[in-house]
Amino acid sequence: MSEPVLTIVVPCYNEEEVLPETIRQLRELREQLVRERLISEYSALLFVDDGSRDATWTIIYKASLHYPEVKGVKLAHNAGHQNALLAGLFSAKTRSDCIISIDADLQDDVSVIRQFVQKFHEGYEIVYGVRNRRDTDTFFKRHTAQGFYRMMKAMGVHLIYNHADYRLMSRRAVEELERFEEANLFLRGIVPLLGFRSTVVYYDRKERLAGETKYPLKKMISFALDGITSFSVTPIRFISMIGLVSFFVSLLFGAYFLFLKWTGHTQTGWTSLITSIWLLGGLQLIAFGLIGEYIGKIYKETKRRPRYIVDLDLFNLPLPRSSSFH
Ligand code: UDP
Ligand code: MG
């Protein structure tokens, strides 16, 4: 068997600070793997610029002029991490036997890529990178992430614990992935559903090399909610928030009214009435909000909008027009 063609897909959003180093490390690793005959010399690095507002695209473009193995896809707007990843996977698909996705910030140990490829040689079609520890994350992120995994598990969603989007997929797996046409694809939930022969490789996750996280708290919460309902509509979410607040407020008030009652300050019947109004009101709003979340999801799906828009794809440039055309 000749060596497999590997494409490494890297979604990048405002990563100018770290990108030159990422390109350097990935090129070096690719070079080694080619020399060791683990991957074909046609293997490429594909950087997807997810509508960055800094010099990210300039860096990618210049690198692609210097090094033939560096390719770039430029998205027309910020489509988000998951969609940028999809754009990369689908662009790379026809030219690769296997594809590895990795973040641009070098948090994931690039040397693990060698193990990924070895597993591919052993016949695995999906290889998940799983972090050993999360101690480079903040206390807060670690615990919220853990809670998220538990909640998903309780709801019957199969996720690989402590696996982010660092993984290898065979071309066949990516082709099957393309058939999942959901507007908001939650890759971590979908990939295990493919069901191909898969395995896990453990690694230590490091600190971000430079720049700051593109997942601030707000995005984290929304990412988690999307994982559950696959999509949402903000005003409806707002309703459930109000519901949640009034539910808790009602508990406080309930306690207060009970206190008043026991100390003999109220008329008969008032306490139970006022408490149940607040309590039920809160619960109803939460329920509305939850139903709304699912309706929002349907709304989003029925529109069938494109998940991302490619501005320029240096990996699949159209062939020059034939000279017979006159
Ligand atoms: N990213 C992206 N589009 C976005 C947000 C993030 O392509 O809208 C990329 C980002 O450049 C990085 C990866 O997704 O390569 C993961 O983001 P980040 O490292 O900020 O997330 P964290 O590791 O903090 O969860
Ligand atoms: Mg990161």
Side-chain angles (χ1 to χ4, degrees):
M1 190 183 108
S2 60
E3 302 85 35
V5 179
L6 165 73
T7 302
I8 302 178
V9 170
V10 192
C12 313
Y13 179 54
N14 295 343
E15 298 285 8
E16 63 179 7
E17 282 170 76
V18 69
L19 206 53
E21 179 60 18
T22 312
I23 294 175
R24 196 189 64 75
Q25 288 195 20
L26 287 178
R27 282 190 57 235
E28 196 180 292
L29 186 87
R30 178 198 161 275
E31 207 62 38
Q32 277 173 20
L33 296 181
V34 170
R35 242 183 283 125
E36 291 169 29
R37 299 191 152 273
L38 272 170
I39 57 172
S40 149
E41 58 183 318
Y42 297 114
S43 297
L45 311 175
L46 177 60
F47 296 88
V48 183
D49 174 25
D50 186 15
S52 300
R53 281 185 296 263
D54 64 359
T56 297
W57 177 250
T58 316
I59 295 170
I60 296 170
Y61 185 65
K62 282 194 177 148
S64 79
L65 296 180
H66 273 90
Y67 315 113
E69 73 274 22
V70 174
K71 308 287 178 189
V73 169
K74 185 180 191 304
L75 298 189
H77 67 273
N78 181 235
H81 177 202
Q82 300 285 295
N83 289 328
L85 200 55
L86 276 187
L89 293 178
F90 296 154
S91 162
K93 186 185 60 169
T94 48
R95 293 160 184 267
S96 333
D97 296 309
C98 57
I99 303 178
I100 291 176
S101 51
I102 186 171
D103 287 354
D105 56 6
L106 295 174
Q107 279 192 286
D108 307 306
D109 186 355
V110 295
S111 66
V112 182
I113 289 176
R114 173 178 281 104
Q115 282 158 268
F116 279 5
V117 173
Q118 279 160 351
K119 292 285 182 197
F120 182 70
H121 279 275
E122 288 169 27
Y124 291 100
E125 298 211 33
I126 299 174
V127 188
Y128 300 101
V130 171
R131 344 183 186 170
N132 276 325
R133 303 165 297 145
R134 296 190 73 110
D135 47 9
T136 47
D137 282 342
T138 58
F139 177 85
F140 178 75
K141 189 150 186 169
R142 204 159 59 222
H143 286 267
T144 46
Q146 225 158 44
F148 176 64
Y149 283 113
R150 278 211 203 101
M151 193 164 67
M152 292 298 270
K153 200 172 166 193
M155 288 189 293
V157 184
H158 179 67
L159 290 183
I160 309 282
Y161 195 66
N162 275 350
H163 159 70
D165 285 304
Y166 190 22
R167 73 174 82 82
L168 176 144
M169 297 176 80
S170 67
R171 179 217 292 241
R172 197 161 69 121
V174 174
E175 276 168 358
E176 291 304 324
L177 187 69
E178 206 165 13
R179 293 173 50 204
F180 288 78
E181 292 178 344
E182 282 144 79
N184 206 49
L185 206 57
F186 186 60
L187 280 168
R188 279 172 232 186
I190 296 289
V191 175
L193 288 183
L194 294 176
F196 289 122
R197 195 165 171 231
S198 65
T199 187
V200 159
V201 168
Y202 292 93
Y203 69 98
D204 290 334
R205 188 157 156 119
K206 292 174 272 192
E207 307 258 5
R208 202 175 223 286
L209 193 75
E212 54 194 37
T213 176
K214 274 74 192 175
Y215 273 102
L217 180 62
K218 217 174 107 201
K219 261 198 193 169
M220 258 168 71
I221 294 176
S222 118
F223 186 61
L225 276 170
D226 283 345
I228 299 161
T229 63
S230 279
F231 228 94
S232 74
V233 159
T234 316
I236 301 171
R237 190 169 284 173
F238 185 65
I239 294 174
S240 40
M241 284 301 145
I242 295 175
L244 211 63
V245 171
S246 66
F247 174 70
F248 283 113
V249 168
S250 80
L251 290 182
L252 289 180
F253 269 109
Y256 175 63
F257 297 141
L258 270 181
F259 171 77
L260 283 186
K261 183 186 163 81
W262 286 331
T263 50
H265 288 293
T266 52
Q267 290 172 352
T268 338
W270 188 76
T271 312
S272 53
L273 254 178
I274 199 76
T275 310
S276 45
I277 286 173
W278 276 83
L279 197 79
L280 278 176
L283 283 176
Q284 276 171 346
L285 283 181
I286 296 175
F288 274 153
L290 207 61
I291 295 169
E293 287 281 336
Y294 287 97
I295 294 179
K297 180 183 155 195
I298 297 167
Y299 162 74
K300 206 82 195 181
E301 291 295 341
T302 50
K303 281 196 290 195
R304 303 186 64 81
R305 286 191 183 162
R307 291 179 283 201
Y308 53 83
I309 291 168
V310 174
D311 187 0
L312 189 58
D313 184 346
L314 299 179
F315 209 13
N316 298 287
L317 284 175
L319 294 170
R321 204 173 260 176
S322 90
S323 53
S324 64
F325 182 82
H326 279 301

